Amino acid sequence: MTTVSRQPASGVTVRVAGYTHAAAWILGLVVAWGATPEAGDTRAAIASAYADKPVEAMAQALLVHGVAGVGLVVVATGLLVRSRRIGSAAARFAGWAGGVAGVLALVQLVLELIAVSGADPASPGRTGALFEAVQRADGVKMFALAALAAAACTASRHATQLRRWEAVIGWVLAVTIAVSGIGYLLLSTALTPVAYVSLPLLLIWIAALGSALGRRP
C-alpha cells in the first residue's frame, strides 16, 4: 500500500492567495491602463479621469485594493499560524504587518469607490481630496509592507522559511517600498516613481512568500 503525502488545505489556501495577489494587481493594471489618474495630477484632472472612465477605475480598485488586499490578509494569516508553530516573534510581527497592509488596502478600496462614484469635473475638490487620501494611505501601507518583508526575512534566518533568492528580494523590497511609501505619504512626485521598482518586487515576493508558507509544514 502506497501512502501519498498531501499538502494541508491551509497551505494550499495561502499559496493560492499569494498568486492571487499578484494576478489581481496585474489584471487591475491592464484593465485600467492609462485610464486612471496619477500621483501629482491636479484635482480637476483626477475628477475628469474618474468621470471619463468610471468602470475601468472601479474595476481596477476592486482588483488591486479588494482582491489583492484579501489575498494579502490570507498570506498574513498564514504567517501568524507559522509564527505560533515555530515560536518566532519576528514572524508574528511580519504577520501583523501584513494584516495591517491588507486592511489598509480595503480602506483604499472604499475611499476610491466613493471618489469614482461621485466624480464631477465641475466640482473636483471632494474627488481630488479622496484620491489624495488613497495615495497617503498607500504610503502607510507601503511602510507596513516594508515591515512585513524585513521581519519575514529576519524570521527566515532561523526557520529556513524562505530560499536565499526569496530573502534577497525581500530585503531589496523592504528598502525600495519604504522609499516609495515616503513619496506617496508626502505626495512627492520625486519619490513615487520608485514604485515602478518596488511594485514588481512586491508581486514576486508575496507570491514567493505564499508559496513558501504553503510548502512548509
Side-chain angles (χ1 to χ4, degrees), residues 22-57:
W25 256 104
I26 294 169
L27 185 57
L29 293 175
V30 171
V31 163
W33 187 263
T36 52
E38 301 286 343
D41 285 352
T42 64
R43 291 189 172 185
I46 292 164
S48 294
Y50 279 154
D52 290 343
K53 302 285 186 180
V55 174
E56 291 90 336

Side-chain angles (χ1 to χ4, degrees), residues 27-205:
L27 185 57
L29 293 175
V30 171
V31 163
W33 187 263
T36 52
E38 301 286 343
D41 285 352
T42 64
R43 291 189 172 185
I46 292 164
S48 294
Y50 279 154
D52 290 343
K53 302 285 186 180
V55 174
E56 291 90 336
M58 286 188 177
Q60 184 182 78
L62 287 167
L63 287 164
V64 305
H65 298 319
V67 176
V70 171
L72 191 55
V73 169
V74 173
V75 173
T77 301
L79 259 174
L80 289 173
V81 171
R82 175 73 175 167
S83 72
R84 289 193 293 269
R85 194 171 298 161
I86 64 177
S88 169
R92 182 167 59 254
F93 178 82
W96 282 113
V100 168
V103 170
L104 283 170
L106 298 177
V107 171
Q108 288 179 283
L109 170 62
V110 173
L111 293 175
E112 194 159 7
L113 290 179
I114 295 172
V116 175
S117 62
D120 180 3
S123 182
R126 179 170 176 267
T127 298
L130 285 168
F131 176 81
E132 290 170 4
V134 171
Q135 301 305 297
R136 293 185 192 280
D138 217 5
V140 178
K141 184 179 72 177
M142 288 176 182
F143 290 138
L145 289 168
L148 160 63
C153 290
T154 298
S156 183
R157 291 178 178 176
H158 306 290
T160 62
Q161 179 176 298
L162 297 171
R163 297 186 177 102
R164 183 180 296 274
W165 69 268
E166 294 168 340
V168 169
I169 290 178
W171 284 115
V172 176
L173 169 65
V175 174
T176 57
I177 206 165
V179 175
S180 299
I182 296 171
Y184 276 83
L185 188 61
L186 302 179
L187 302 180
S188 168
T189 54
L191 294 177
T192 52
V194 180
Y196 289 111
V197 176
S198 62
L199 179 58
L201 292 175
L202 174 68
L203 303 189
I204 293 169
W205 191 76

